[in-house]
Amino acid sequence: MSLLGLILASIITRNLEREENLKRLQKLSGAVQVTAGQMMVTLRFEGGRLTVVRGGDEKARAAVSGSMDSLMGVALGRGMVGPWLAGRLKVSGNLLMLLKMLPLMSAD
């Protein structure tokens, strides 16, 4: 697993200790591809479970890419609009799914 996958898995696992995040997880379905530099992972949501897989998924419902710094900024609560407007963060696909997933990725 890449460093990106390990960091995301750690943040999400910690956030799943909260009941409201477990409920959010139950509602998510499909795959999200996350890319930072040369590292790429796919987050697969299915049946209330999350699997973090190394590499991409061409059938992913949504994708996020940017520098590790930009992605970690989002996770640390610095927001994603600024980096997105500046072109340091790119999003595609089902944006609603990304917004629903965002609370699972916040390391607050």
Side-chain angles (χ1 to χ4, degrees), residues 72-84:
M72 289 301 104
V74 171
L76 294 173
R78 287 186 262 168
M80 82 180 200
V81 174
W84 176 71

Side-chain angles (χ1 to χ4, degrees), residues 44-96:
R44 291 192 181 130
F45 299 93
E46 187 175 350
R49 298 189 64 158
L50 168 65
T51 307
V52 180
V53 181
R54 186 176 186 172
D57 183 345
E58 60 188 42
K59 295 179 183 179
R61 292 181 60 195
V64 178
S65 64
S67 68
M68 182 66 97
D69 183 55
S70 294
L71 291 170
M72 289 301 104
V74 171
L76 294 173
R78 287 186 262 168
M80 82 180 200
V81 174
W84 176 71
L85 289 173
R88 294 189 312 266
L89 192 67
K90 295 181 179 20
V91 296
S92 63
N94 187 329
L95 300 181
L96 184 58

Side-chain angles (χ1 to χ4, degrees), residues 28-47:
L28 291 171
S29 178
V32 174
Q33 184 175 294
V34 182
T35 306
Q38 300 298 315
M39 295 178 284
M40 183 183 296
V41 296
T42 300
L43 306 175
R44 291 192 181 130
F45 299 93
E46 187 175 350

Side-chain angles (χ1 to χ4, degrees), residues 1-13 41 52:
M1 181 58 63
S2 66
L3 178 61
L4 176 63
L6 294 172
I7 290 171
L8 290 176
S10 175
I11 291 170
I12 293 169
T13 299
V41 296
V52 180

